[in-house]
Amino acid sequence: MTARTTGSPSWDAFWAEVSGARTETIRGVTVDVPRDVPFGFEERLQELSASSAQEDVEELVTTLFGPDVFAAWADAGMGYRELLTVLTWGMAQASGTDMSFAEAYEAVSTADDGGKAPASPNRAARRSQSKSTGGPSKRTSAASTTSARKTSRA
């Protein structure tokens, strides 16, 4: 059997091609736009959501955008709300949602959870697409949910 070629010389080139690799300049720092959520990222985000420790925030930024990005943004004067906006945008991009910076800012601004990290853009998108009417479920007839009575052979 002959191996089929895709025209891409390596996995990295192939993945860049299919995932639409691109960069963005944020506070003077050119970063790769996140294309996928790293394993364990959402769990780690939940664990650190109540933390305001700089090293925890730096860990999240490093996971999404790469090493030294957090320090460069801090040196450029990035503030907390701005950082939350960029993280929200980055998480959306990594989840496959092409969210604009304005939409990310709106999500951060309307978060009513007392300054915690905003809900995952994935989750928000799923909720907004839900077709639920909000009404109660229909009752299932008793005949279809009960088991047949068994008689004893004693």
Side-chain angles (χ1 to χ4, degrees), residues 94-106:
S95 300
T97 302
D98 192 17
M99 176 183 276
S100 70
F101 290 121
E103 290 168 325
Y105 179 76
E106 181 67 25

Side-chain angles (χ1 to χ4, degrees), residues 57-135:
V57 176
E58 186 172 357
E59 176 186 337
L60 295 175
V61 171
T62 299
T63 303
L64 275 180
F65 297 104
D68 304 320
V69 172
F70 180 81
W73 284 344
D75 290 345
M78 183 178 279
Y80 182 71
R81 181 174 291 270
E82 190 175 358
L83 182 62
L84 281 180
T85 301
V86 171
L87 282 173
T88 300
W89 173 83
M91 289 185 306
Q93 299 299 318
S95 300
T97 302
D98 192 17
M99 176 183 276
S100 70
F101 290 121
E103 290 168 325
Y105 179 76
E106 181 67 25
V108 168
S109 297
T110 58
D112 59 338
D113 53 75
K116 292 182 185 173
S120 167
N122 242 9
R123 184 174 170 197
R126 285 192 307 267
R127 284 184 175 180
S128 70
Q129 293 174 355
S130 175
K131 302 292 185 213
S132 173
T133 61

